[in-house]
Amino acid sequence: MASTDRLGGTGILPKMKRKKVADSCSHDEYKIKFQGLNIFIVERKMGSTRRTFLMDLARKKGFRVNDKLSDAVTHIVAENNSWNEIWDWLQIHKLSNTNTLEMLDISWFTDSMGAGKPTQTTCPEQSDPVPVSKVAAISQYACQRRTTLNNKNKIFTDALEILAENCEFNENERSYVVFARATSVLKSLPYAISSMTMLEGLPNMEVQPRAIIEEILEDGKSSTVESLLCDERYKATKLFTSIFGVGLKTADRWYRLGFRTLEEVQAAKDLKFTKMQKAGLMYCEDISSFVNKAEAHAVGQIIEKFVHKCVPNATVTLTGGFRRGKEIGHDVDFLITCPEEGKEEGILHKAVHSLPQGLLLYYDIIESTMEKNKIPSKQYDVMDKFQKCFMILKLNNTLVQNSDLNLHSESGIKLAYETAEPERQIESKDWKAIRVDLVIVPIQQYAYALLGWSGSRHFERDLRRFSYHEKRMNLDNHVLYDKTKKVFLTAKTEEEIFAHLGLEYIEPWERNA
């Protein structure tokens, strides 16, 4: 009983205060306007007098308020309590509906009282309940969290991603990681952050991101982010690195030379461009715009057609953000493999060279640099050792419109570029330049490559960090090496890789970390 009294709640008030509660307004005196809510106000850190006042106020406004905590309660209101504290307190009561309770800060309550109705963001008919059990068990690793595209904290993650990007531009790896990890945690939460107390107990919430979140909660925006968005160096770096073939060093050199726009860069007579940069600048308008799912599917049909001409049983798999369920992306990535070992060799050159000249706007083939039995590094490496081709394809709009059809079947339908007139295409611009990456993968390493190329980037970083720190294993896009047993672990599927690491399998659409 002593511990229950300390935590607060119903059935714990001294006898005199019980009488005060009994004398307070009952539901019989007021009409209940909001049938979907059944509120319980937590006395812990609030006090019985304030709790009684708030209960009466809510009833006067038409809210149903429970005196006692029971399975009938749908919403819990607390003040100055962290979510983990409330979670621990709830365990004492052993409710059957703990996982569907929505936990609300007192700020929601006061806003609702002022409006005379439940605020929109937490009305039961308009939002999902917060699964409290998940709040108490959020891992520091993205590979142990399920992160869908349903981001309930976009106002914070958008700001933090801008700051993380700027840290990358300035090659400040430490600060980049701080912002990236905080962003990843926020994206995984099944509820929206509405007060700083809700950050308590969450992993990876260091001083820098907390300060940004607090400022947004108070002012609706971050002055730091607003200032950065107006910063000349940040804007120029972001613009220049969006060009195909331009990295940070080149972008920094252009900035130091005084360039601020692409027009200035293109007009410069003394600048020398690589073949890739020339193509990037030539098609920058198309490439800088988003690729949608229909366009990605249409590109896949083209690639499959010419790959299967070389090896009929080859597999072409769409990866990247589109595999994770995204509707748009910046480019389209495909893994190509064959069921027979060694059969994948030569496919890339044959397939690329068989593409019609008018279709292939640019390509650059990077040969494989794989070393057998090489132990993967513990560091995250964006580039792997597979043979790959970076290309720009001319995608005809007609093909995109028909992308839901089986265009390479025996139906007699031809691909759009096979019947179009090239001169007319250029004049009317009924096509779009699309960035495409093709990666050739030996069948033995396909599962690891598929996992690595599916992303997201932070999910992959944390997967490798988890492997190294928690399992004494090194993971990359090629292999998984067990440092304890000193063996390479084989896997035919992504599920097997997760099993090797002792992780619960996470679907691609839940890896949007």
Side-chain angles (χ1 to χ4, degrees):
M1 177 64 73
S3 61
T4 306
D5 286 347
R6 178 176 61 82
L7 288 167
T10 55
I12 59 174
L13 301 176
K15 290 183 179 180
M16 290 180 64
K17 291 184 177 179
R18 286 181 189 272
K19 188 175 187 297
K20 187 171 184 178
V21 171
D23 290 340
S24 64
C25 301
S26 67
H27 284 116
D28 295 337
E29 299 177 48
Y30 300 101
K31 181 180 178 181
I32 296 173
K33 300 178 182 178
F34 313 109
Q35 299 294 336
L37 279 80
N38 203 330
I39 298 173
F40 177 80
I41 301 176
V42 178
E43 184 178 324
R44 186 172 186 265
K45 294 187 179 182
M46 178 184 292
S48 60
T49 302
R50 175 166 165 75
R51 177 175 182 264
T52 300
F53 169 77
L54 295 178
M55 289 169 63
D56 288 347
L57 176 63
R59 286 167 177 162
K60 290 175 183 177
K61 297 286 186 178
F63 290 79
R64 184 189 299 277
V65 183
N66 269 32
D67 289 322
K68 296 182 179 181
L69 185 61
S70 69
D71 290 340
V73 171
T74 60
H75 292 63
I76 291 181
V77 175
E79 185 173 35
N80 297 322
N81 289 269
S82 72
W83 298 113
N84 283 339
E85 287 175 326
I86 295 299
W87 167 253
D88 292 339
W89 172 75
L90 280 172
Q91 303 314 297
I92 298 173
H93 296 80
K94 299 180 179 179
L95 301 179
S96 63
N97 66 333
T98 304
N99 289 344
T100 60
L101 282 173
E102 185 160 358
M103 299 166 62
L104 304 171
D105 184 70
I106 192 67
S107 59
W108 170 87
F109 183 88
T110 54
D111 289 346
S112 298
M113 294 306 105
K117 61 181 180 180
T119 55
Q120 185 175 5
T121 55
T122 50
C123 182
E125 289 79 17
Q126 297 179 3
S127 69
D128 298 327
V130 176
V132 182
S133 59
K134 292 185 179 180
V135 175
I138 295 176
S139 171
Q140 66 165 309
Y141 297 106
C143 57
Q144 290 185 306
R145 303 191 297 260
R146 298 180 184 276
T147 308
T148 68
L149 293 170
N150 184 20
N151 180 3
K152 296 181 180 294
N153 291 286
K154 197 171 186 300
I155 188 172
F156 307 114
T157 59
D158 283 354
L160 295 178
E161 283 179 335
I162 290 170
L163 294 170
E165 181 180 50
N166 187 56
C167 291
E168 265 199 305
F169 290 165
N170 292 286
E171 299 183 287
N172 185 344
E173 177 68 13
R174 164 61 185 159
S175 293
Y176 164 78
V177 169
V178 167
F179 286 120
R181 288 178 181 172
T183 301
S184 180
V185 170
L186 291 175
K187 285 185 176 182
S188 72
L189 298 179
Y191 54 87
I193 294 294
S194 60
S195 71
M196 291 302 290
T197 58
M198 296 176 72
L199 298 181
E200 293 183 30
L202 295 180
N204 302 328
M205 289 295 158
E206 297 192 24
V207 175
Q208 292 167 286
R210 286 177 67 92
I212 300 300
I213 294 168
E214 185 171 21
E215 188 179 14
I216 294 174
L217 284 171
E218 292 176 355
D219 303 330
K221 60 183 179 180
S222 165
S223 59
T224 304
V225 174
E226 294 294 312
S227 176
L228 181 58
L229 290 173
C230 297
D231 181 74
E232 199 172 60
R233 185 186 187 92
Y234 170 80
K235 290 193 295 183
T237 305
K238 187 174 179 66
L239 174 64
F240 295 154
T241 54
S242 69
I243 301 302
F244 182 46
V246 177
L248 280 177
K249 289 184 178 179
T250 299
D252 183 62
R253 181 164 57 86
W254 289 354
Y255 179 82
R256 291 179 184 276
L257 288 172
F259 301 122
R260 300 294 181 266
T261 67
L262 293 183
E263 289 76 16
E264 292 172 347
V265 170
Q266 290 170 318
K269 297 180 180 180
D270 297 333
L271 284 184
K272 293 182 179 180
F273 304 108
T274 65
K275 183 182 176 184
M276 184 179 287
Q277 290 166 357
K278 288 178 181 178
L281 288 166
M282 183 179 296
Y283 305 109
C284 63
E285 185 177 347
D286 281 356
I287 295 176
S288 62
S289 65
F290 286 111
V291 180
N292 62 44
K293 188 180 289 186
E295 290 168 338
H297 182 59
V299 170
Q301 293 175 330
I302 296 173
I303 300 302
E304 280 189 350
K305 178 182 178 70
F306 289 95
V307 166
H308 288 158
K309 277 186 177 181
C310 304
V311 180
N313 63 346
T315 300
V316 178
T317 305
L318 178 66
T319 61
F322 290 111
R323 186 168 185 250
R324 300 197 309 274
K326 284 194 169 186
E327 294 293 328
I328 56 175
H330 291 289
D331 58 9
V332 193
D333 304 324
F334 296 96
L335 292 189
I336 301 171
T337 191
C338 297
E340 299 91 0
E341 182 180 349
K343 285 286 187 178
E344 75 283 350
E345 295 180 10
I347 289 182
L348 191 58
H349 284 277
K350 291 177 182 178
V352 170
H353 292 148
S354 66
L355 290 170
Q357 188 174 359
L359 177 70
L360 190 59
L361 300 176
Y362 168 87
Y363 76 94
D364 183 21
I365 294 178
I366 309 298
E367 297 300 338
S368 170
T369 57
M370 280 192 293
E371 300 176 39
K372 289 186 177 181
N373 300 321
K374 185 179 185 300
I375 298 173
S377 168
K378 69 175 182 179
Q379 300 297 328
Y380 176 75
D381 186 4
V382 176
M383 297 300 292
D384 50 45
K385 311 300 181 183
F386 296 117
Q387 183 190 40
K388 53 182 69 72
C389 179
F390 304 120
M391 62 170 61
I392 301 176
L393 288 184
K394 177 190 284 188
L395 183 63
N396 191 282
N397 293 339
T398 306
L399 181 56
V400 177
Q401 294 165 5
N402 294 326
S403 62
D404 59 333
L405 300 174
N406 185 10
L407 298 181
H408 53 280
S409 68
E410 297 180 356
S411 60
I413 300 175
K414 291 188 175 182
L415 296 175
Y417 64 81
E418 294 178 313
T419 56
E421 298 177 12
E423 293 79 7
R424 188 176 179 182
Q425 283 184 345
I426 295 171
E427 288 176 6
S428 61
K429 190 61 170 68
D430 62 344
W431 55 271
K432 179 179 179 180
I434 304 285
R435 273 272 297 110
V436 182
D437 292 345
L438 305 181
V439 186
I440 303 299
V441 182
I443 189 63
Q444 307 95 318
Q445 300 177 39
Y446 178 74
Y448 290 104
L450 181 61
L451 178 60
W453 275 82
S454 294
S456 65
R457 179 184 176 188
H458 190 76
F459 184 90
E460 298 302 325
R461 289 183 72 117
D462 267 17
L463 190 59
R464 298 181 191 196
R465 187 165 65 98
F466 175 87
S467 303
Y468 183 79
H469 291 289
E470 305 296 334
K471 297 296 180 179
R472 285 187 52 79
M473 296 181 184
N474 283 14
L475 172 71
D476 65 11
N477 286 10
H478 302 269
V479 293
L480 177 63
Y481 180 75
D482 189 322
K483 296 168 62 180
T484 303
K485 298 179 181 178
K486 296 183 179 180
V487 296
F488 291 93
L489 303 176
T490 60
K492 294 182 178 180
T493 64
E494 290 177 309
E495 288 87 344
E496 289 181 22
I497 300 172
F498 278 82
H500 283 320
L501 295 170
L503 289 170
E504 185 177 348
Y505 180 68
I506 294 183
E507 297 285 353
W509 57 273
E510 296 174 315
R511 303 176 199 169
N512 289 285

